[in-house]
Amino acid sequence: MAGEAQADCVFCKIVAGDIPSTKVRETEHTLAFRDINPQMPTHVLVVPKAHYPDAASLADADPGLAGTVLAEAGRVAEDEKVVDSGYRLIFNTGSGAGQTVFHAHVHVLAGGGLHEKLV
Ligand code: AMP
Ligand code: ZN
C-alpha cells in the first residue's frame, strides 16, 4: 500500500530507529537528519516518515505531506541560520539524476558554493 514502510529502505529504517541518524528536527509525519556524506557545511535531509519512492509520488499521493516536508526544510534552514545567506533544496529523482535512496527526501544545502548556479 502507498506510504507503507519498506523492509529494504534505509530511510524507513532510520525513521523506525533501526539505523542511527543525527536528527535535527522531528514532527509527527517528518524527520530531518544530517546527510552521512555532507557536500556542504549544512547538508540535511528531510523525509516524510511514510515511504514514497520520490518527491513527485509523494506529492501525488499526499500533497499536504509534501507541503509539510517543504515547510520543514524551511525550518531546518532557519535552525541552521542560513536563510539570509541562502540555501538550496534538491530533489534528485531517478537514478539518472543521481537518486540513490528511493524514499522521498529533500536535500537542504547551504554554506558554500551556491553562487555556482545549476539552472
Ligand atoms: P540521493 O542521492 O538524492 O538519493 O540522496 C541520498 C542521500 O542519502 C545521499 O546524500 C547519502 O549520503 C545519504 N545517506 C545514505 N545513507 C544515509 C544514512 N544512513 N544516514 C544519512 N544519510 C544517508
Ligand atoms: Zn522508505
Side-chain angles (χ1 to χ4, degrees):
M1 212 176 85
E4 259 182 30
Q6 302 291 304
D8 59 348
C9 173
V10 63
F11 290 174
C12 283
K13 288 178 183 164
I14 285 176
V15 166
D18 295 339
I19 291 179
S21 69
T22 306
K23 289 183 194 177
V24 299
R25 290 187 63 84
E26 184 167 13
T27 68
E28 187 181 356
H29 296 297
T30 66
L31 184 66
F33 52 93
R34 296 203 185 278
D35 196 292
I36 204 168
N37 182 23
Q39 301 301 306
M40 286 195 188
T42 291
H43 189 169
V44 173
L45 303 172
V46 184
V47 305
K49 290 184 175 177
H51 179 97
Y52 296 94
D54 56 46
S57 307
L58 162 65
D60 202 33
D62 193 337
L65 181 55
T68 301
V69 167
L70 271 183
E72 278 298 303
R75 292 186 191 109
V76 166
E78 283 172 17
D79 293 351
E80 297 284 309
K81 305 198 181 335
V82 297
V83 174
D84 289 346
S85 52
Y87 61 96
R88 186 166 291 155
L89 303 180
I90 294 181
F91 297 91
N92 292 323
T93 303
S95 53
Q99 188 177 3
T100 57
V101 178
F102 290 83
H103 178 130
H105 56 279
V106 58
H107 297 256
V108 183
L109 293 159
L114 289 176
H115 53 281
E116 292 170 19
K117 279 167 64 81
L118 190 61
V119 288

